[in-house]
């Protein structure tokens, strides 16, 4: 058995599209930074840079919005089975497995990054920044590789301390993902069966309104609503759903660069939220999920083969894509830039890189991600609806031996 939580194909599809969008953002960060940060950085594509950084066209490469979609999906997926069954063991199992499920792929990605850093492969990123941005404005890949530091960042910092993870900058989300998971697990256990739980949901939303944890609360509330017999928030009205979707995408396109005079988003910059780009992106992500949960048409689109495949490899893609961009993509760009136009060098570098990122993500999924899922299940397995069982769960020698054997087979055979 592979699934830690029940798989819903259209939610996997949405996750896959969001992962691709994060990857697109990082292509821009390395090769066309003005697409993301506007006039703060040198422009290489003229008006196109301005359009991407100041209008809803910026949905293409809206990485922060896509990360908020990840978080809302986590809040939903991690609790929806509980709200179907009202079985506390569902939450206990998921909570006990969560660290290992997330950790195994993170550890493998950090070790891969350590190898790349040790061979000097990231120098191409720094050299590319001198061309695309005038400087290494994000400060990536300037550290000295150290195996003990790499292990510490993978095992501890990524999940419990947060901040910048030198060996893979995308891991800033892991602390939020881990603590956000624990938040909704705790809320589901404490309040999920109470009639007054909506009061606690509202209080949590107010408490976390200026942080990414709001996304997890929204996802959990949807899991409760859409797995109950209460028809509230459920609708098939296409006009209403279209308005909500367009509004959600507009909020999701809220720029992460400073707003310019006369910006389309000026009316949203009203000082109501401490971090508008975070809160608006979360609300937008929630609106997109709301529409998807109600719309059979969208469910059909996101359940199609390509989005579902991308969803399957999304965690792996998220972990490895920036390593490839910072080494292979930038190296290829530096080769092409002197002999073709800037735009051509960017397009060719990105297109060829996809031919590496997608297969690598699939291999990572098949040999690392699945192993992490299996290890987490073997580590802790408390049967649902069991009459008698050890109150501490099952963390047995036999399970751990089997887990070690599984990882060995996945990695070395």
């Amino acid at each position: 058995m592979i699934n830690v939580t029940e798989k819903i194909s259209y939610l996997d599809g949405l996750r896959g599209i969001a992962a691709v969008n994060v990857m697109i953002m990082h292509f821009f960060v390395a090769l066309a930074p003005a697409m993301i940060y506007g006039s703060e950085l040198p422009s290489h594509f003229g008006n196109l840079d301005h359009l991407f950084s100041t209008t809803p066209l910026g949905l293409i490469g809206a990485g922060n919005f896509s990360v908020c979609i990840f978080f809302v999906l986590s809040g939903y997926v991690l609790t929806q089975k509980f709200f179907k069954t009202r079985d506390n063991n569902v939450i206990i199992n998921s909570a006990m497995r969560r660290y290992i499920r997330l950790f195994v792929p993170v550890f493998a990605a950090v070790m891969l990054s350590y190898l790349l850093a040790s061979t000097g492969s990231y120098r191409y990123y720094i050299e590319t920044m001198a061309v695309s941005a005038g400087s290494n404005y994000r400060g990536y890949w300037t550290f000295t590789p150290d195996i003990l530091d790499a292990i510490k960042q993978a095992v501890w910092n990524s999940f419990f301390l947060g901040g910048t993870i030198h060996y893979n900058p995308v891991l800033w989300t892991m602390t939020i993902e881990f603590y956000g998971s624990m938040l909704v697990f705790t809320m589901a256990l404490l309040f999920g069966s109470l009639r007054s739980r909506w009061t606690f949901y509202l209080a949590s939303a107010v408490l976390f309104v200026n942080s990414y944890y709001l996304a997890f609360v929204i996802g959990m509330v949807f899991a409760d609503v859409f797995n109950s017999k209460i028809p509230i928030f459920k609708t098939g009205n296409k006009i209403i759903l279209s308005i909500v979707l367009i509004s959600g995408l507009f909020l999701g396109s809220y720029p992460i660069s400073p707003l310019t005079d006369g910006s389309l988003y000026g009316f949203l910059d009203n000082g109501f939220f401490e971090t508008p780009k975070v809160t608006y992106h979360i609300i937008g992500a929630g609106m997109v999920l709301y529409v998807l949960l109600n719309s059979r048409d969208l469910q059909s689109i996101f359940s199609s083969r390509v989005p579902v495949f991308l969803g399957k490899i999304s965690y792996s893609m998220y972990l490895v894509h920036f390593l490839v961009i910072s080494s292979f993509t930038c190296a290829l760009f530096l080769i092409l830039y002197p002999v073709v136009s800037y735009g051509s060098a960017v397009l060719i570098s990105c297109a060829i890189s996809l031919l590496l990122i997608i297969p690598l993500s699939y291999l990572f999924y098949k040999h690392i991600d699945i192993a992490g899922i299996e290890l987490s299940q073997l580590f802790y397995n408390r049967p649902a609806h069991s009459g008698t069982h050890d109150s501490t769960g099952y963390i047995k020698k036999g399970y751990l031996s089997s887990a070690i054997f599984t990882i060995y087979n996945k990695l070395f055979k």
Side-chain angles (χ1 to χ4, degrees), residues 152-153 155-165 171-172 174-176 178-179:
K152 178 184 175 184
Q153 290 202 21
V155 174
W156 184 257
N157 294 25
S158 296
F159 297 99
F160 303 108
L161 296 184
T164 301
I165 307 300
L171 294 181
W172 69 269
M174 285 299 106
T175 307
I176 300 169
F178 181 73
Y179 286 135

Side-chain angles (χ1 to χ4, degrees), residues 111-152:
M111 290 303 102
L112 173 60
S113 182
Y114 169 76
L115 292 175
L116 290 171
S118 297
T119 59
S121 298
Y122 293 139
R123 71 179 184 274
Y124 302 117
Y125 175 89
I126 297 173
E127 293 174 15
T128 297
M129 286 294 95
V131 176
S132 67
S135 66
N136 186 9
Y137 65 100
R138 298 299 293 269
Y140 294 151
W141 311 124
T142 58
F143 61 93
T144 301
D146 178 87
I147 185 62
L148 293 179
D149 183 51
I151 292 172
K152 178 184 175 184

Side-chain angles (χ1 to χ4, degrees), residues 179-197:
Y179 286 135
S181 301
M182 295 303 113
L183 171 67
V184 294
F185 289 149
T186 302
M187 289 182 64
L189 280 177
L190 294 179
F191 313 126
S193 298
L194 301 178
R195 288 190 176 184
S196 60
R197 62 188 181 276

Side-chain angles (χ1 to χ4, degrees), residues 318-336:
Y318 181 78
L319 292 175
V320 304
H321 76 274
F322 195 55
L323 310 184
V324 175
I325 291 172
S326 298
S327 53
F328 176 81
T329 306
C330 288
L332 183 57
F333 170 80
L334 291 171
I335 293 172
L336 294 170

Side-chain angles (χ1 to χ4, degrees), residues 23-39:
M23 177 175 62
I24 291 172
M25 176 188 179
H26 286 132
F27 277 129
F28 288 163
V29 166
L31 302 174
M35 293 278 197
I36 304 296
Y37 300 106
S39 58

Side-chain angles (χ1 to χ4, degrees), residues 87 89 92 380-394:
D87 178 14
N89 286 339
I92 295 170
Y380 190 91
N381 183 27
R382 186 174 186 173
H385 302 295
S386 59
T388 59
H389 48 257
D390 182 354
S391 62
T392 60
Y394 298 106

